Amino acid sequence: MKFKLLLAFSFWMLLVAVSCNKDDITFDSPTQELRFSRDTVFCDTVYHQVRSETYVVKVYNNEDKDILIPRVNLEKGAASLYRINVDGKPGYDFKNVPLRKKDSLYIFVEIAPEATGPEAIAEDKVLFTSPGGQQHVTLFSVVQDAEFFIQTPGNPNVITNSTTWNNNKAKIIYGNLTVNPNITLDINAGTKVYFHKNSGMKISSGAVLNINGTQADQVILRGDRNDPYYDTIPKNWNSIKMEANSILKMNHARLFGGTRGLDMKQTNATITNSFIHTFFEYGIYAVGSTVNANNLVMNNCGLSCVGIFLGGKHSYTHATIANYSKTMSSFDRTGIFAANEWKNDAGQTQQGALQLLDIKNSIVYSDRDDAVHFEKTPGQQFEFLLQNSLIKYTSATGSGFTFDNNPNVIQTVKNAEPQFVNYFMAKMNLRVKTGSPAIGKGNTAVAATVPTDIVGVSRTTNPTLGAYQ
């Protein structure tokens, strides 16, 4: 009992001591300007009534004394679309904010606006008022109107009638969105489709997905966090699953940032003028499928940009398939992987003939030794042709394959650095530089089948390998 009383008395005395020390602090008016960790906060693109992530601004007191900042407030006050939290206190207007000498305080910023049109700019300022004048930090964000597709126990989130999506509202998908069998979903130019974490889309058997972008107005399919940080990392969402006998037509689209991009099983896909990049596993995962791709750009996929399983028919013409990644440096990171075999979800191995794999006037390159890897099952058909392409490979490219002196490898440039302008994801530009060995190496008859490059430049004479002339 005495020990408990002594402990309680000691704790009370400690509180008194701390209180006395705090009361002894003298705060003065600032005589110098404050310093900020940033002068502008660019919030990610936000959607109607959806709260952004939280951003941080640090405010530094460089003076050799404790100060009181007379006022910290949002310029637009209570009408602001933003909300701030100053050193743990939420609000929009704060008076006499203390800041110890050589110390800092945190200001947390977020926005959850109501959209007034398809897209608008939300701007405000955090004002810091002192006897020496006024300083500010600018807050800036793009606000989009949005249509939500949310899967819940009571809502399976299914499209049951043929539907067209336009660019008047962003499409935000929570959970899985399913397009029913034999239904068509058209996604028109300029439409932005955003997937929340662990979300995706399923195109059922017999259904059709038409992605109808243009060069000026791409269709964007990505995760729902628009901060530039998320542009360069995978696994922000799951995949677009194409079921057996479904059809995909994709033109001028940019698909990135998930676990798998196009997850196709016995699908017929036509892909043109599109970018597929930054996926944890595969950009294209094709099981027993038919894929025809022209002017395709791919990069930064953990296992392979293109994964071909259980055979099928594949044609890639004027494609730039690179695979460079710092974030997934321990992964295989091939450009194209092709195999006759495939293991289903039950772990059972199935086999199928690769009836066609044509790679023409293309670049397939990686920072690995082999940008291509073929696995032929004994007794199974495996037909391929590499024509007028720049390919990185060693003498052994898989099970039983060599490309050197192979009649199926025609006028192909081996292991020459393509000299991309920039293959890093933050500023990816997979055009080739002047002097690249890819320039002028294309077959003109092949180029005539895809007469303009991914940005509309003619390539009918002196064609350059890859998606860019």
Side-chain angles (χ1 to χ4, degrees):
M1 184 66 177
K2 290 182 179 179
F3 175 76
K4 289 183 179 180
L5 289 172
L6 180 62
L7 184 63
F9 178 76
S10 299
F11 181 68
W12 181 82
M13 290 298 293
L14 178 63
L15 287 177
V16 170
V18 169
S19 298
C20 290
N21 288 337
K22 185 176 180 180
D23 291 341
D24 287 343
I25 298 172
T26 301
F27 289 95
D28 298 322
S29 294
T31 55
Q32 299 178 19
E33 286 194 334
L34 301 166
R35 183 169 63 87
F36 309 115
S37 59
R38 56 171 94 178
D39 58 13
T40 303
V41 177
F42 292 100
C43 297
D44 60 358
T45 300
V46 290
Y47 318 108
H48 180 70
Q49 293 184 333
V50 176
R51 191 172 300 279
S52 72
E53 66 177 276
T54 301
Y55 296 83
V56 178
V57 178
K58 289 186 74 174
V59 182
Y60 299 94
N61 174 14
N62 290 330
E63 300 194 54
D64 196 24
K65 64 178 181 179
D66 304 314
I67 63 172
L68 277 180
I69 306 171
R71 188 182 183 193
V72 178
N73 67 290
L74 287 166
E75 185 177 53
K76 295 182 180 178
S80 177
L81 297 176
Y82 294 90
R83 288 294 177 265
I84 57 175
N85 182 304
V86 177
D87 234 14
K89 298 177 182 178
Y92 56 86
D93 198 338
F94 305 83
K95 302 289 176 45
N96 296 325
V97 178
L99 182 53
R100 299 292 302 273
K101 62 183 179 182
K102 306 299 183 183
D103 203 352
S104 62
L105 65 85
Y106 287 90
I107 295 181
F108 299 96
V109 179
E110 61 184 21
I111 179 173
E114 292 189 6
T116 56
E119 189 167 283
I121 301 299
E123 190 172 1
D124 203 348
K125 294 177 181 177
V126 183
L127 303 178
F128 299 83
T129 305
S130 68
Q134 192 176 80
Q135 296 174 260
H136 70 269
V137 171
T138 299
L139 310 179
F140 185 92
S141 182
V142 177
V143 180
Q144 291 184 11
D145 199 0
E147 183 177 4
F148 294 88
F149 299 85
I150 302 173
Q151 183 184 36
T152 66
N155 176 26
N157 210 21
V158 176
I159 295 177
T160 57
N161 296 300
S162 291
T163 302
T164 299
W165 285 354
N166 294 312
N167 64 1
N168 59 326
K169 292 186 179 185
K171 317 301 175 185
I172 317 295
I173 296 172
Y174 285 75
N176 289 314
L177 174 66
T178 298
V179 179
N180 259 1
N182 306 312
I183 295 299
T184 297
L185 173 60
D186 291 303
I187 306 178
N188 284 345
T191 303
K192 297 174 182 178
V193 183
Y194 299 106
F195 297 90
H196 195 61
K197 187 75 172 177
N198 299 320
S199 298
M201 182 186 294
K202 184 177 82 171
I203 311 301
S204 301
S205 177
V208 177
L209 176 61
N210 291 322
I211 301 175
N212 305 311
T214 65
Q215 184 183 332
D217 288 301
Q218 290 181 325
V219 173
I220 306 296
L221 304 104
R222 57 164 297 164
D224 65 350
R225 303 319 303 244
N226 273 287
D227 189 284
Y229 168 76
Y230 294 97
D231 291 349
T232 60
I233 60 173
K235 292 189 76 173
N236 293 309
W237 58 286
N238 292 345
S239 67
I240 297 176
K241 289 189 175 182
M242 308 290 301
E243 298 284 284
N245 302 313
S246 60
I247 296 173
L248 169 69
K249 294 181 180 179
M250 186 166 85
N251 186 35
H252 283 296
R254 187 179 289 268
L255 178 71
F256 65 97
T259 299
R260 291 179 183 173
L262 300 171
D263 186 344
M264 301 185 287
K265 294 180 176 65
Q266 298 176 336
T267 299
N268 192 315
T270 302
I271 303 169
T272 52
N273 304 307
S274 293
F275 297 80
I276 301 174
H277 64 87
T278 314
F279 285 93
F280 189 66
E281 295 180 4
Y282 300 90
I284 295 175
Y285 179 85
V287 178
S289 296
T290 297
V291 177
N292 291 288
N294 303 324
N295 287 340
L296 171 65
V297 175
M298 302 185 74
N299 191 10
N300 194 32
C301 298
L303 298 181
S304 187
C305 287
V306 179
I308 299 170
F309 302 89
L310 206 62
K313 295 181 179 180
H314 289 256
S315 177
Y316 298 88
T317 303
H318 278 291
T320 298
I321 301 174
N323 209 352
Y324 299 83
S325 178
K326 287 186 176 180
T327 58
M328 295 177 283
S329 59
S330 63
F331 286 63
D332 292 341
R333 297 202 327 277
T334 52
I336 297 178
F337 177 93
N340 292 119
E341 290 189 346
W342 175 67
K343 284 188 177 181
N344 61 22
D345 294 338
Q348 299 168 324
T349 299
Q350 298 175 252
Q351 296 180 351
L354 182 61
Q355 298 163 285
L356 173 74
L357 172 53
D358 284 355
I359 303 171
K360 298 178 180 179
N361 284 14
S362 294
I363 298 172
V364 186
Y365 207 83
S366 170
D367 54 1
R368 295 297 204 213
D369 290 336
D370 286 294
V372 291
H373 188 92
F374 294 168
E375 292 287 342
K376 181 182 184 298
T377 302
Q380 282 288 334
Q381 179 184 2
F382 195 106
E383 302 293 338
F384 74 93
L385 173 66
L386 308 182
Q387 179 182 348
N388 290 83
S389 293
L390 190 159
I391 310 287
K392 187 177 183 183
Y393 64 92
T394 56
S395 58
T397 58
S399 176
F401 284 100
T402 57
F403 286 166
D404 293 328
N405 302 315
N406 190 314
N408 296 320
V409 180
I410 301 171
Q411 294 182 338
T412 289
V413 181
K414 175 184 178 181
N415 292 344
E417 168 63 51
Q419 299 180 34
F420 294 124
V421 172
N422 194 333
Y423 56 75
F424 294 106
M425 290 314 304
K427 297 180 179 179
M428 186 178 76
N429 183 348
L430 294 183
R431 293 174 172 84
V432 295
K433 299 175 183 177
T434 302
S436 165
I439 293 175
K441 297 295 174 45
N443 179 285
T444 53
V446 171
T449 65
V450 190
T452 57
D453 77 353
I454 195 169
V455 292
V457 176
S458 174
R459 58 159 64 102
T460 53
T461 59
N462 199 37
T464 295
L465 305 182
Y468 294 98
Q469 176 56 14

